[in-house]
Amino acid sequence: MYWKLRIPLIMGVMGVVSGLVQKFPNLFLVNTSYFISSAIFFGLIGIIITIFEKTGMNEKKVHFIIGVGIILFSIIFDYLMV
């Protein structure tokens, strides 16, 4: 069974960016209010997803296990970076 990479990549980006922002908050969100930091976080995710859309990377088909592996990696990465 094959699956497009759209959903695994979106969830993967969210997990990895969330983990990095939690581990290194000063690198991404330097002394800003909560509203601005949230906007920067969602903007960063939006830029990365837009790059995936423009390059066509999200249209590639992979096996279901690889998609689940990407999602599990992002969840574990986010959990371990806290």
Side-chain angles (χ1 to χ4, degrees), residues 53-77:
E53 290 282 337
K54 295 291 182 181
T55 59
M57 190 171 184
N58 60 345
E59 293 296 325
K60 297 195 185 293
K61 291 190 175 190
V62 294
H63 197 270
F64 181 75
I65 299 298
I66 294 174
V68 171
I70 292 171
I71 293 170
L72 288 176
F73 170 77
S74 67
I75 292 170
I76 292 169
F77 186 84

Side-chain angles (χ1 to χ4, degrees), residues 4-54:
K4 285 188 179 180
L5 271 177
R6 179 169 282 128
I7 300 300
L9 283 179
I10 289 172
M11 293 184 73
V13 165
M14 291 176 98
V16 170
V17 170
S18 173
L20 289 174
V21 167
Q22 288 177 25
K23 186 70 171 179
F24 307 108
N26 294 332
L27 182 64
F28 295 101
L29 315 168
V30 179
N31 296 328
T32 58
S33 68
Y34 183 75
F35 179 73
I36 301 291
S37 64
S38 296
I40 291 171
F41 176 73
F42 287 118
L44 184 61
I45 288 174
I47 288 170
I48 294 171
I49 290 172
T50 302
I51 290 171
F52 286 153
E53 290 282 337
K54 295 291 182 181

